[in-house]
Amino acid sequence: MLNAPRLRIIGRRLLHAVPVVVLSTFIVFGLLKLVPGDVAVTLAGDNASEQRIAEIRELYGLNQPFLVQYGSWLSKAVQGDLSNSLVSSEAVLTSIERCLPHTLLIVALALLTALVIGVPLGIAAAAKPGSWIDGIVMAVASLGVAVPNFWLGMLLVAFFSLQLNWLPATGAVSLMKDPAAALSHALLPALALASGGIAEVARQLRSSLVEILSSQQVRTLHAKGLAPSSILWRHGLKNVSVNLLTVISLLANRMLAATVVVEAVFAIPGMGGLIVNAAMNRDFPVVQGVVFTMVLIVVALNLLTDILYSVLDPRIST
Amino acid sequence: MRVIDLGNRTLRRRDVLALFGGASAAGVLGLPREVLAAKTGGILKVAAPANPSSLDPATGGAGSDHSILWTMYDTLVEWDYDTLKPKPGMAKWSYPDPKTMVLEISEGIKFHDGTPLDAEAVKFNLDRNRSDQRSNVKSDLLTIEAVEVTGPLQVTLKLKNPDTSLPAILSDRAGMMVSPTNIKALGNETDRKPVGAGPWKFVRWNDNEIIVVARNESYWRKGRPFLDGIEFNIIPENATALRSVVAGQNDMTFQLPARLKPVIERSRDLKMVSSPTLYCIQVYFNYARAPLDNVKVRQAINFALDRDAFVKAALSGLGEPARMTLPSTHWAYAKDVAGTYPYDPDKAKKLLAEAGYKDGLEMTIGGYTDQDSVRRGEIIQDQLGKVGIRLKFTRGTIAEISAQFFAQEKKFDMLVSAWTGRPDPSMTYALGFDKGAYYNAGRTADPELSKLIQESRASQDLAERAAVFAKIQRITVGQALSAPLAFQFELDALSAKVKDFQPNLLGKPKFENVSLA
C-alpha cells in the first residue's frame, strides 16, 4: 500500500502541516490577546487589588510582548512541552492525555453509528428513487440535519436515563479501565452527535448512487442482463466510495468541533470542556495545547483521507 | 424564615435545628456507639458547579473553591451557620489589648501527614499567607505586623492597628492550615497534593472532572466525620448537574439557579433545600464620572428599581429584596436604613429632573451572557426605562466584562453583577467601597467612609461593631453608591438518602454534618 508515490504524498503533506500548525496556533494566540479580559484577574482571585493583579502579571510573564510569549510557547511545544496551565498549574499534556480519549471515543462511536445507520438508509433510498422508502428516508434525513444535537441529547437523557434508567445520564469512564462502562457512558452522547451524520451520510450516498445508477455505464450493464442487485453492490457502491470517504472525513472534522456542546450536556470531561473553561479564564497554555492537538488530529485525518483516496481510485494523485 | 422543603412535608428551620442540635449533642454526650455507627459510612457524590482554582487555600482565588477546601482544611476560626458570627474552630482567640490577638490552639490536632498542628505550624502558615509571592490572601492579613510563638499551642499576633475582623478573616482562606512539611517539600505545588488537618484527606484531583477525598481516621473531633468519603464531580452546566442527581448518579448538587426549582419539585425522590445567602445581585456604579457622579441620578435609579418584582421575575421568588449589602438575617443588618428606597418611579423622575435630565438620559451598562444574567438585565432595562433611563447593554464573559468595568479601561457607567459576600462585613465594605478598592470602579471614596471602615475593626463587641456598620450603611445606601437588588437564595437538590445537610448564610455548603442513610 505504501509505494514510492504514496510516500511522496505523505512526505509533502507532512511538510504542509508545519505552516498550518504554526499559523493556526499563532492566530489563536493572537485572538486570545485581542479579546479583553485577563488571566491575571482570575489568578488574583475574588479579593484582588489592582496592585496584586499587576504583581501576578509580572510573576507569570504576562506583561511581556506578544511575540516573546508566543515564541517561548512555540519553542517549548516543539520540544514536546506544552507548558502548564496558568490556572490549575497541571501540565497541559497531562490534561490532554486525560481528556482526549473521552472525546475520541464519542467521535469514533458517532462516526460508526452514522455509517451503520446512514449507509443502509442511503442505499434503500437510492435503490428505488421516488418510492415511499425514499420519501421517508429523505424526510428523516432532513429532520436529522435540522435537530440541534444538544436538544436531542437532552431528549435521549430524559428517555433512556431518567425514564428507563438504562444508561448513565452524565460523566465518562476510561475505555482502558472499564470498556463496558465506558461504552455505556459514551452511547447517548454519540447518538446525539451522530444524528446529523446519519442524515448527511444517507443523503450524500443516495444522491451519488442515484447519479451513478442512472449513468450510461449502468444502463449498458442493465442491457447486458446483469442482475440489479449485482449492479448496485459491485458497480454502484464501488464508484461512490470516494464520495463517501469525503463525507466521512468532513464529518469527523465537524464532529470533533461539535463535541463541545454535547460534552457540556452530558458533563463529559473531554477536550470541549477543557478548551471552553480555559478560554473563559484566558488560560493561554491550555487553549494553545488543545488547539495544537486538534490541528494535529485534523491534519492526520486529512492525510489518511488522501492516502485512502489514492487506494480507492488510483487515478487520484495529489 | 428558612424553609427546608422535604417534598410533601415542609419543616420549619427551627424544627431542623432542633433535630440537628440533637444529632450534634449525641456526639458530645457520647451516645452508644451503635447510634453513631448508624450515621457513619458511605461515599457522598456531589455534583459541584466549578473546578477549583487551586487546592492550596493561599494561592487559589475563586469563591467556589471553599466547599471543596473545607473538606481537607479546617480553619482556625469557624462561624455560625445562620448568622456568620465567628466561633472557635481549631483555635480560640482573645484580644488582651486592641492591637494584640492571641490564638490558643486546641490540643492533639495533627495534619494528615502526621505533622502536629501547633503554634509553629500556625506561625508558618500565617507568615506564608502574609508574604509568599503567590499568596492571594496577603491583603486580608495586612494589619498583622508580626506573628509570635508564645507557647507550644499559643500564637500572638501583633497588629498595626486594631482589627476585629481578623476572626472572620481566619475563618476563610487565610485561616485554613496547610501542613508545613508538605509546603517545605512541594512548595506551591502543594495545590496538586494538598495536606491539611480537615475531616477528609485528599485522594485525587482530575481537572474539570473529579475530586475525591477520604475519611481522616485521626481527625481531632472524635466521632467525626460521618462520611467515609466525598466525590465531587465537576459539572458546570446546572441543568446537567441536576439531571445527574435525578438519575441517581450523584446524591446532591448545590447553587442551582431559581429557574430549575420546578424541575426539582417535579422529581418525586428529591429534597429541595433553599435558604438565604449573602449573595447580593446588584448594579455597580462608576460614580467617579458623569452622570453617576451626581448623587440624584444614583438615588433616582434606586427609587426606580422595583425589588419585589425583581425577586419574583428574576428569581422565581427565591430571594430577598436587597435594601443594603447585607441580608436581614445578618448580625450587622441595619433596620433603620432598610426603608431608604421604596419603589417610587415618580420620585425617581423628579430626582432626574432636578439633576438636569428632565427628558431622561442614556447610560451604558455591562452584563454577562448567561441566561440568568440576561434575564436580570432585561428586567433592569425595563424598570429603568419607565423613568426615562435608556440603557445600552454590552454583554460578554464574566472575565471580559468585569475587567472592562473594574480595571483600567473603565467602560460602561454601570455593571449588573453580584457580590458573593464575605465572612466579615468590613471586608465587603473595604473591598467594594473604600478608596482605591478594585470593586470600586471609580476608586474614590468619602474620607468619612474610609475612617468608619477602620473603626468597624476596632471593637470586639458585636453590638458596637453593628452600630458602626449601621453608620457605614447609612453612607453607602444614603449616597446610593450601588443599587443592591436581591439576595439570591441557595437552591440545592438532594436525594432522599442525604441526611442532616444544613445550608449556611455564606451560601457555600459544608459537609461536616452530612451522613447517608
Side-chain angles (χ1 to χ4, degrees), chain A residues 35-37 41 43-50 52-53 55-56 59-60 87-90 98 154 157 162 165 168-170 185 264-267 269 274 277 280 282, chain B residues 53 59 61-63 133-136 138-140 191-192 205-209 235 237 240 243-244 246-247 249 397 399-400 403-404 408-409 420 422 431 438-439 443:
Chain A
V35 178
V41 175
L43 290 171
D46 290 346
N47 288 359
S49 64
E50 215 152 326
R52 175 78 193 130
I53 294 168
E55 252 175 59
I56 286 187
L59 190 64
Y60 287 86
V87 177
S88 75
S89 73
E90 189 180 48
R98 202 181 47 240
M154 288 194 236
V157 169
L162 305 185
N165 223 346
T170 56
H185 273 90
V265 171
F266 289 91
L274 189 64
N277 227 323
M280 293 281 218
R282 307 282 177 274
Chain B
S53 62
T59 64
Q133 213 184 6
R134 279 192 59 194
S135 165
N136 279 337
K138 269 189 259 184
S139 59
D140 292 347
D191 80 317
R192 304 299 311 186
W205 174 20
N206 291 352
D207 260 331
N208 295 311
E209 185 183 345
I235 307 184
E237 172 58 38
T240 305
R243 271 201 299 278
S244 78
V246 177
Q249 279 186 281
T397 62
E400 186 184 330
Q404 286 176 352
Q408 292 94 337
E409 278 185 79
T420 56
R422 293 294 180 278
L431 294 165
Y438 183 74
Y439 294 99
R443 306 285 193 269

Coordinates of all heavy atoms in Angstrom, one line a residue, chain A residues 35-37 41 43-50 52-53 55-56 59-60 87-90 98 154 157 162 165 168-170 185 264-267 269 274 277 280 282, chain B residues 53 59 61-63 133-136 138-140 191-192 205-209 235 237 240 243-244 246-247 249 397 399-400 403-404 408-409 420 422 431 438-439 443:
Chain A
V35 N -8.9 39.6 22.7 CA -10.2 39.6 23.5 C -9.8 40.2 24.8 O -8.8 39.9 25.4 CB -10.7 38.2 23.6 CG1 -11.9 38.2 24.5 CG2 -11.0 37.6 22.3
P36 N -10.7 41.2 25.3 CA -10.4 41.7 26.6 C -10.6 40.7 27.7 O -11.1 39.6 27.5 CB -11.5 42.8 26.7 CG -12.5 42.5 25.7 CD -11.9 41.7 24.6
G37 N -10.1 41.0 28.9 CA -10.1 40.0 30.0 C -8.7 39.6 30.2 O -7.9 39.7 29.3
V41 N -6.5 38.4 36.4 CA -7.7 38.7 37.3 C -8.2 37.4 37.9 O -8.5 37.3 39.1 CB -8.8 39.4 36.5 CG1 -10.0 39.6 37.3 CG2 -8.3 40.7 36.0
L43 N -6.4 34.6 38.4 CA -5.4 34.1 39.3 C -5.4 34.9 40.6 O -5.2 34.3 41.7 CB -4.0 34.2 38.7 CG -3.8 33.2 37.5 CD1 -2.5 33.5 36.8 CD2 -3.8 31.8 38.1
A44 N -5.7 36.2 40.5 CA -5.6 37.0 41.7 C -6.8 36.7 42.6 O -6.7 37.0 43.8 CB -5.6 38.5 41.3
G45 N -7.9 36.2 42.1 CA -9.0 35.8 43.0 C -9.9 36.9 43.3 O -9.8 38.0 42.8
D46 N -10.9 36.6 44.1 CA -12.0 37.5 44.4 C -11.6 38.7 45.2 O -12.2 39.7 45.1 CB -13.1 36.7 45.2 CG -13.8 35.7 44.4 OD1 -13.6 35.8 43.1 OD2 -14.5 34.8 44.9
N47 N -10.5 38.6 46.0 CA -10.2 39.8 46.8 C -9.1 40.7 46.1 O -8.5 41.5 46.8 CB -9.5 39.3 48.1 CG -10.6 38.7 49.0 OD1 -11.8 38.6 48.7 ND2 -10.2 38.2 50.2
A48 N -9.0 40.5 44.8 CA -7.9 41.2 44.2 C -7.8 42.7 44.3 O -8.8 43.3 44.1 CB -7.9 40.7 42.7
S49 N -6.6 43.2 44.5 CA -6.4 44.6 44.3 C -5.7 44.8 43.0 O -5.2 43.9 42.4 CB -5.6 45.2 45.4 OG -4.3 44.6 45.4
E50 N -5.7 46.0 42.5 CA -5.1 46.3 41.2 C -3.6 46.0 41.3 O -3.0 45.4 40.3 CB -5.3 47.7 40.8 CG -5.5 47.9 39.3 CD -6.3 49.1 39.0 OE1 -7.2 49.5 39.7 OE2 -6.0 49.7 38.0
R52 N -2.2 43.8 43.2 CA -2.0 42.3 43.2 C -2.0 41.7 41.8 O -1.3 40.9 41.4 CB -3.1 41.7 44.1 CG -3.0 40.2 44.1 CD -2.0 39.6 45.0 NE -1.7 38.2 44.8 CZ -0.6 37.7 44.6 NH1 0.5 38.4 44.6 NH2 -0.4 36.4 44.4
I53 N -3.0 42.3 41.0 CA -3.1 41.8 39.6 C -1.9 42.1 38.8 O -1.4 41.3 38.0 CB -4.4 42.5 39.0 CG1 -5.6 41.9 39.7 CG2 -4.5 42.1 37.5 CD1 -6.9 42.6 39.3
E55 N 1.1 42.5 40.0 CA 2.2 41.6 40.6 C 2.1 40.3 39.8 O 3.1 39.7 39.5 CB 1.9 41.3 42.0 CG 2.8 42.0 43.0 CD 2.3 41.7 44.5 OE1 2.2 40.6 44.9 OE2 2.0 42.7 45.1
I56 N 0.9 39.7 39.7 CA 0.7 38.4 39.1 C 1.1 38.5 37.6 O 1.8 37.6 37.1 CB -0.7 37.9 39.2 CG1 -0.9 37.5 40.7 CG2 -1.1 36.8 38.3 CD1 -2.2 36.9 41.0
L59 N 4.7 38.2 37.6 CA 5.2 36.9 38.1 C 5.1 35.8 36.9 O 6.0 35.0 36.8 CB 4.3 36.5 39.2 CG 4.6 35.3 40.1 CD1 5.9 35.5 40.8 CD2 3.5 35.0 41.1
Y60 N 4.1 35.9 36.1 CA 3.8 34.9 35.1 C 4.3 35.3 33.7 O 4.1 34.7 32.7 CB 2.4 34.5 35.0 CG 1.9 33.7 36.2 CD1 1.5 34.3 37.3 CD2 1.9 32.3 36.1 CE1 1.0 33.5 38.4 CE2 1.5 31.5 37.2 CZ 1.0 32.2 38.3 OH 0.6 31.4 39.4
V87 N -3.9 28.5 35.4 CA -4.9 28.5 36.5 C -4.7 27.3 37.4 O -4.6 27.4 38.6 CB -6.3 28.5 35.9 CG1 -7.3 28.4 37.0 CG2 -6.5 29.7 35.1
S88 N -4.6 26.0 36.9 CA -4.6 24.9 37.7 C -3.2 24.4 37.9 O -2.9 23.5 38.8 CB -5.4 23.8 37.2 OG -4.8 23.2 36.1
S89 N -2.2 24.9 37.2 CA -0.8 24.5 37.2 C -0.5 23.0 36.8 O 0.6 22.5 37.0 CB -0.1 24.9 38.6 OG -0.6 24.0 39.6
E90 N -1.6 22.4 36.4 CA -1.3 21.0 35.9 C -0.7 21.1 34.5 O -0.9 22.0 33.7 CB -2.7 20.3 35.7 CG -2.5 18.8 35.4 CD -3.8 18.0 35.3 OE1 -4.7 18.6 34.6 OE2 -4.0 17.0 35.9
R98 N -5.7 13.0 29.4 CA -6.8 12.5 30.2 C -8.1 12.8 29.4 O -9.1 12.0 29.4 CB -6.9 13.2 31.5 CG -7.7 12.5 32.5 CD -7.8 13.2 33.9 NE -8.1 14.5 33.7 CZ -7.3 15.5 34.1 NH1 -6.1 15.3 34.7 NH2 -7.6 16.8 33.9
M154 N -30.6 16.0 25.3 CA -31.4 16.1 26.5 C -32.6 15.1 26.4 O -33.0 14.5 27.4 CB -31.9 17.5 26.6 CG -30.8 18.5 27.1 SD -31.4 20.0 27.6 CE -30.6 21.1 26.6
V157 N -31.4 11.7 27.2 CA -31.2 11.5 28.6 C -32.6 11.3 29.3 O -32.8 10.4 30.1 CB -30.5 12.7 29.2 CG1 -30.5 12.7 30.7 CG2 -29.1 12.8 28.7
L162 N -33.4 8.9 32.6 CA -34.3 9.3 33.7 C -35.5 8.4 33.7 O -36.0 8.0 34.7 CB -34.7 10.8 33.6 CG -33.5 11.7 33.5 CD1 -34.0 13.2 33.6 CD2 -32.5 11.5 34.7
N165 N -33.9 4.4 32.9 CA -32.8 4.0 33.7 C -31.8 3.0 33.1 O -31.3 2.1 33.8 CB -33.2 3.5 35.1 CG -32.4 4.2 36.2 OD1 -31.4 4.7 35.9 ND2 -32.9 4.1 37.4
P168 N -26.3 5.7 31.8 CA -26.0 6.8 32.7 C -26.3 8.2 32.0 O -26.1 8.3 30.8 CB -24.5 6.7 32.9 CG -24.0 5.7 31.9 CD -25.2 4.9 31.4
A169 N -26.7 9.2 32.8 CA -27.0 10.5 32.2 C -25.8 11.4 32.0 O -25.8 12.2 31.1 CB -28.0 11.2 33.2
T170 N -24.8 11.2 32.8 CA -23.7 12.1 32.7 C -22.4 11.3 32.9 O -22.4 10.2 33.4 CB -23.7 13.2 33.8 OG1 -23.8 12.5 35.1 CG2 -24.9 14.1 33.6
H185 N -21.4 4.8 28.9 CA -21.4 6.3 29.1 C -21.4 7.0 27.8 O -22.0 8.1 27.6 CB -20.2 6.7 29.9 CG -20.5 6.6 31.4 ND1 -20.2 5.5 32.1 CD2 -20.9 7.5 32.3 CE1 -20.5 5.7 33.4 NE2 -21.0 6.9 33.5
A264 N -20.9 19.3 27.1 CA -21.5 20.1 28.2 C -22.8 19.5 28.6 O -23.0 19.4 29.8 CB -21.7 21.5 27.7
V265 N -23.6 19.0 27.7 CA -24.9 18.4 28.0 C -24.7 17.2 28.9 O -25.5 16.9 29.8 CB -25.7 18.1 26.8 CG1 -27.0 17.3 27.1 CG2 -26.1 19.4 26.0
F266 N -23.7 16.4 28.6 CA -23.5 15.1 29.3 C -22.4 15.2 30.3 O -22.0 14.2 30.9 CB -23.2 14.0 28.3 CG -24.3 13.6 27.4 CD1 -24.6 14.2 26.2 CD2 -25.2 12.6 27.8 CE1 -25.7 13.8 25.4 CE2 -26.3 12.3 27.1 CZ -26.5 12.9 25.8
A267 N -21.9 16.4 30.6 CA -20.8 16.5 31.6 C -19.7 15.6 31.4 O -19.3 14.8 32.3 CB -21.4 16.4 33.0
P269 N -15.8 15.0 30.7 CA -14.6 15.8 30.9 C -13.7 15.6 29.7 O -12.6 15.0 29.8 CB -14.0 15.2 32.2 CG -14.5 13.8 32.3 CD -15.9 13.8 31.6
L274 N -12.5 21.2 28.4 CA -11.2 21.8 28.7 C -11.0 23.1 28.0 O -10.5 24.1 28.6 CB -10.2 20.7 28.2 CG -8.7 21.0 28.6 CD1 -8.5 20.9 30.1 CD2 -7.8 19.9 27.9
N277 N -13.5 26.0 29.3 CA -13.0 26.5 30.6 C -11.8 27.4 30.5 O -11.7 28.5 31.0 CB -12.7 25.3 31.5 CG -13.3 25.5 32.8 OD1 -13.3 26.5 33.4 ND2 -13.7 24.3 33.3
M280 N -12.5 30.8 28.8 CA -13.2 31.7 29.7 C -12.2 32.4 30.6 O -12.3 33.5 31.0 CB -14.1 30.9 30.6 CG -15.3 30.3 29.9 SD -16.5 31.6 29.6 CE -18.0 30.6 29.9
R282 N -8.9 32.8 30.0 CA -7.8 33.3 29.3 C -6.5 32.5 29.7 O -5.5 33.0 29.8 CB -7.5 34.8 29.5 CG -8.7 35.7 29.3 CD -8.9 35.9 27.8 NE -10.1 36.7 27.6 CZ -11.3 36.3 27.5 NH1 -11.5 35.0 27.6 NH2 -12.3 37.0 27.3
Chain B
S53 N -10.0 26.6 41.6 CA -8.9 27.4 41.0 C -7.6 26.8 41.5 O -6.6 26.9 40.9 CB -9.0 28.9 41.3 OG -9.0 29.1 42.7
T59 N -3.1 30.2 47.5 CA -2.9 30.6 46.1 C -4.1 30.6 45.2 O -4.1 31.2 44.1 CB -1.8 29.8 45.4 OG1 -2.3 28.5 45.3 CG2 -0.5 29.8 46.2
G61 N -8.3 31.4 44.3 CA -8.9 32.7 44.3 C -10.4 32.6 44.1 O -11.1 33.6 44.5
A62 N -11.0 31.6 43.6 CA -12.4 31.6 43.3 C -13.3 31.3 44.5 O -12.9 30.4 45.3 CB -12.7 30.5 42.2
G63 N -14.4 32.0 44.6 CA -15.3 31.8 45.7 C -15.9 30.4 45.7 O -16.4 30.0 46.8
Q133 N 5.0 35.0 47.5 CA 4.8 35.7 46.2 C 3.4 35.4 45.6 O 2.7 36.2 45.0 CB 5.9 35.4 45.3 CG 6.3 36.5 44.3 CD 7.3 36.0 43.4 OE1 7.7 34.9 43.3 NE2 7.9 36.9 42.6
R134 N 3.0 34.1 45.7 CA 1.8 33.7 45.1 C 0.6 33.8 46.0 O -0.5 33.4 45.6 CB 1.9 32.3 44.5 CG 2.7 32.2 43.2 CD 2.6 30.9 42.6 NE 1.2 30.5 42.3 CZ 0.9 29.2 42.0 NH1 1.8 28.3 41.9 NH2 -0.4 29.0 41.8
S135 N 0.7 34.3 47.2 CA -0.4 34.3 48.1 C -1.4 35.3 47.7 O -1.1 36.5 47.4 CB 0.1 34.6 49.5 OG -1.0 35.0 50.3
N136 N -2.7 34.9 47.6 CA -3.8 35.8 47.3 C -4.5 36.3 48.5 O -5.5 37.0 48.4 CB -4.8 35.1 46.4 CG -4.4 35.0 45.0 OD1 -3.6 35.8 44.5 ND2 -4.9 34.0 44.2
K138 N -2.8 37.9 51.0 CA -1.9 38.9 51.6 C -2.7 40.1 52.1 O -2.5 40.6 53.2 CB -0.9 39.4 50.6 CG 0.4 38.6 50.6 CD 1.4 39.3 49.8 CE 1.5 38.6 48.4 NZ 2.6 39.1 47.6
S139 N -3.6 40.6 51.2 CA -4.3 41.8 51.6 C -5.3 41.6 52.8 O -5.6 42.6 53.5 CB -5.1 42.3 50.4 OG -6.0 41.3 50.0
D140 N -5.7 40.4 53.0 CA -6.6 40.1 54.2 C -5.8 40.3 55.5 O -6.4 40.5 56.5 CB -7.2 38.7 54.1 CG -8.1 38.5 53.0 OD1 -8.6 39.5 52.4 OD2 -8.5 37.4 52.6
D191 N -0.7 22.5 45.8 CA -2.1 22.6 45.4 C -2.5 21.4 44.6 O -3.7 21.1 44.5 CB -2.4 23.9 44.6 CG -2.0 23.8 43.2 OD1 -0.9 23.3 43.0 OD2 -2.7 24.2 42.3
R192 N -1.6 20.6 44.1 CA -1.9 19.4 43.4 C -1.9 18.2 44.4 O -2.4 17.1 44.0 CB -1.0 19.1 42.2 CG -0.9 20.1 41.1 CD -2.1 20.5 40.4 NE -3.0 19.5 39.9 CZ -4.0 19.7 39.1 NH1 -4.4 20.9 38.8 NH2 -4.8 18.7 38.7
W205 N -7.4 14.4 42.2 CA -8.0 15.6 41.5 C -7.7 15.5 40.0 O -6.6 15.6 39.6 CB -7.5 16.9 42.1 CG -7.9 18.1 41.4 CD1 -9.0 18.2 40.5 CD2 -7.3 19.4 41.4 NE1 -9.2 19.5 40.1 CE2 -8.1 20.3 40.6 CE3 -6.2 20.0 42.0 CZ2 -7.9 21.6 40.4 CZ3 -5.9 21.3 41.8 CH2 -6.7 22.1 41.0
N206 N -8.7 15.2 39.2 CA -8.6 15.3 37.8 C -9.3 16.6 37.3 O -10.5 16.7 37.5 CB -9.3 14.1 37.1 CG -8.6 12.8 37.3 OD1 -7.5 12.8 37.9 ND2 -9.2 11.7 36.9
D207 N -8.5 17.5 36.8 CA -9.1 18.8 36.4 C -10.4 18.7 35.7 O -10.5 17.9 34.8 CB -8.1 19.5 35.6 CG -7.3 20.6 36.3 OD1 -7.8 21.1 37.3 OD2 -6.1 20.8 36.0
N208 N -11.3 19.5 36.1 CA -12.6 19.6 35.4 C -13.4 18.3 35.4 O -14.3 18.1 34.6 CB -12.4 20.0 33.9 CG -11.9 21.4 33.8 OD1 -12.4 22.3 34.5 ND2 -10.8 21.6 33.0
E209 N -12.9 17.3 36.2 CA -13.6 16.0 36.2 C -14.0 15.6 37.6 O -15.2 15.5 37.9 CB -12.7 15.0 35.5 CG -13.4 13.6 35.4 CD -12.5 12.6 34.8 OE1 -11.4 12.9 34.3 OE2 -12.8 11.4 34.9
I235 N -19.5 19.5 37.4 CA -20.4 19.7 36.3 C -20.9 21.2 36.2 O -21.8 21.6 36.9 CB -21.7 18.8 36.5 CG1 -21.2 17.3 36.7 CG2 -22.6 18.9 35.3 CD1 -22.3 16.3 36.8
E237 N -22.5 22.8 34.0 CA -23.8 23.1 33.4 C -24.9 22.7 34.5 O -25.0 21.5 34.8 CB -23.9 22.3 32.1 CG -25.2 22.2 31.5 CD -25.8 23.6 31.1 OE1 -25.0 24.5 30.7 OE2 -27.0 23.8 31.2
T240 N -27.5 20.0 33.7 CA -26.9 18.7 33.6 C -26.6 18.1 35.0 O -26.8 16.9 35.3 CB -25.6 18.7 32.8 OG1 -25.9 19.3 31.5 CG2 -24.9 17.4 32.6
R243 N -29.8 16.9 36.4 CA -30.2 15.6 35.8 C -29.4 14.5 36.4 O -29.9 13.4 36.6 CB -29.9 15.7 34.3 CG -31.0 16.2 33.5 CD -30.9 15.8 32.0 NE -29.7 16.3 31.4 CZ -29.6 17.5 30.8 NH1 -30.6 18.3 30.9 NH2 -28.5 17.8 30.3
S244 N -28.1 14.7 36.7 CA -27.3 13.6 37.3 C -27.8 13.2 38.6 O -27.6 12.1 39.0 CB -25.8 14.0 37.3 OG -25.6 14.9 38.4
V246 N -31.1 13.6 39.5 CA -32.4 12.9 39.2 C -32.1 11.4 38.8 O -32.8 10.5 39.2 CB -33.2 13.6 38.1 CG1 -34.4 12.9 37.8 CG2 -33.5 15.1 38.5
A247 N -31.1 11.2 38.0 CA -30.8 9.9 37.5 C -30.1 9.0 38.6 O -29.9 7.9 38.3 CB -29.8 10.0 36.3
Q249 N -27.0 9.3 39.7 CA -25.6 9.2 39.6 C -24.9 10.0 40.6 O -23.8 9.7 41.0 CB -25.1 9.7 38.2 CG -25.3 8.7 37.1 CD -24.8 9.2 35.8 OE1 -25.4 10.0 35.2 NE2 -23.6 8.7 35.5
T397 N -18.3 37.6 28.5 CA -18.0 36.7 29.6 C -17.7 37.4 30.9 O -17.4 38.6 30.8 CB -16.8 35.8 29.3 OG1 -15.6 36.7 29.1 CG2 -16.9 35.0 28.0
A399 N -15.1 37.3 32.8 CA -13.7 37.8 32.8 C -13.6 39.1 32.0 O -13.0 40.1 32.4 CB -12.8 36.8 32.3
E400 N -14.3 39.0 30.8 CA -14.1 40.2 29.9 C -14.8 41.4 30.4 O -14.2 42.5 30.5 CB -14.8 39.6 28.6 CG -14.7 40.5 27.4 CD -15.6 39.8 26.3 OE1 -15.7 38.5 26.4 OE2 -16.2 40.4 25.5
A403 N -13.5 42.9 33.7 CA -12.2 43.6 33.5 C -12.4 44.9 32.9 O -11.8 45.9 33.3 CB -11.3 42.7 32.6
Q404 N -13.4 45.0 31.9 CA -13.6 46.3 31.3 C -14.2 47.3 32.3 O -13.9 48.5 32.1 CB -14.6 46.1 30.1 CG -13.9 45.4 28.9 CD -14.9 45.1 27.8 OE1 -16.1 45.3 28.0 NE2 -14.4 44.7 26.7
Q408 N -8.5 49.0 34.3 CA -8.2 50.4 33.8 C -9.1 50.9 32.7 O -9.3 52.1 32.6 CB -6.7 50.4 33.2 CG -5.7 50.3 34.2 CD -5.3 48.8 34.3 OE1 -6.0 47.9 34.0 NE2 -4.1 48.5 34.8
E409 N -9.7 50.0 31.9 CA -10.5 50.5 30.8 C -11.6 51.4 31.1 O -11.9 52.4 30.4 CB -11.0 49.3 30.0 CG -10.0 48.7 29.0 CD -10.7 47.6 28.2 OE1 -11.4 48.0 27.3 OE2 -10.5 46.4 28.6
T420 N -20.5 38.3 46.1 CA -20.8 37.0 46.7 C -20.7 37.0 48.2 O -21.0 35.9 48.8 CB -19.7 36.0 46.2 OG1 -18.4 36.5 46.4 CG2 -19.9 35.8 44.7
R422 N -18.7 38.1 52.1 CA -17.5 37.8 52.9 C -17.9 37.5 54.3 O -18.9 38.0 54.8 CB -16.5 39.0 52.8 CG -16.0 39.3 51.5 CD -15.1 38.3 51.0 NE -14.5 38.6 49.7 CZ -15.1 38.4 48.5 NH1 -16.3 37.9 48.5 NH2 -14.5 38.8 47.4
L431 N -13.6 46.2 50.4 CA -13.3 45.7 49.0 C -14.2 46.4 48.0 O -13.8 46.6 46.8 CB -13.5 44.2 48.9 CG -12.5 43.4 49.7 CD1 -12.9 41.9 49.8 CD2 -11.1 43.4 49.0
Y438 N -10.6 47.5 44.3 CA -10.8 47.0 42.9 C -12.2 47.1 42.5 O -12.6 47.4 41.4 CB -10.2 45.6 42.8 CG -10.3 45.1 41.4 CD1 -9.4 45.5 40.4 CD2 -11.2 44.1 41.1 CE1 -9.5 45.0 39.1 CE2 -11.3 43.6 39.8 CZ -10.4 44.1 38.8 OH -10.5 43.6 37.5
Y439 N -13.1 46.7 43.4 CA -14.5 46.6 43.1 C -15.2 47.9 43.2 O -16.4 48.0 43.1 CB -15.2 45.5 44.0 CG -14.7 44.2 43.6 CD1 -13.7 43.5 44.4 CD2 -15.1 43.5 42.5 CE1 -13.2 42.3 44.0 CE2 -14.6 42.3 42.1 CZ -13.7 41.7 42.9 OH -13.2 40.5 42.5
R443 N -12.8 54.2 42.2 CA -11.7 54.3 43.1 C -11.7 55.5 44.1 O -10.8 55.7 44.8 CB -10.3 54.3 42.3 CG -10.1 53.2 41.3 CD -9.8 51.9 41.9 NE -9.3 51.0 41.0 CZ -10.1 50.1 40.3 NH1 -11.4 50.1 40.5 NH2 -9.5 49.2 39.5

